[in-house]
Amino acid sequence: MATELKTIRGQFQSQKTNEMENTKIFLTKFSGGIEGTKVQLTMSNQGNLFTHIALNKEEIKNLIKELQENFDL
């Protein structure tokens, strides 16, 4: 069962116009089976096309560490 966590605003570089466009990023927590709980980041990237990234617990920790170190959080 998936749980919607939060929707945040973001931007992506359009391949059509080469400019930054607004988008929403949907954060969803879900069971990854034997890999454990995961989080999926989903965003629309042009029209009705969507792309996503799924991270396990270790990958989430690495992402948090990188953000904290590089953005003085």
Side-chain angles (χ1 to χ4, degrees):
M1 183 168 125
T3 304
E4 295 293 328
L5 300 176
K6 189 167 186 159
T7 301
I8 57 177
R9 295 178 191 268
Q11 292 187 321
F12 71 96
Q13 187 169 356
S14 170
Q15 292 178 349
K16 291 179 183 177
T17 64
N18 207 30
E19 294 184 16
M20 298 302 288
E21 294 187 16
N22 294 327
T23 190
K24 290 181 182 176
I25 302 168
F26 305 96
L27 302 176
T28 306
K29 179 180 173 181
F30 69 99
S31 172
I34 60 172
E35 295 181 31
T37 304
K38 292 186 172 191
V39 68
Q40 179 172 301
L41 291 77
T42 306
M43 68 173 231
S44 61
N45 56 4
Q46 288 180 346
N48 291 327
L49 301 175
F50 288 86
T51 189
H52 73 276
I53 297 170
L55 303 171
N56 64 29
K57 193 172 184 178
E58 192 62 33
E59 293 164 333
I60 294 166
K61 287 179 184 179
N62 288 336
L63 175 60
I64 291 169
K65 182 181 174 190
E66 284 297 317
L67 293 173
Q68 288 173 330
E69 290 175 0
N70 290 289
F71 289 92
D72 221 10
L73 302 175

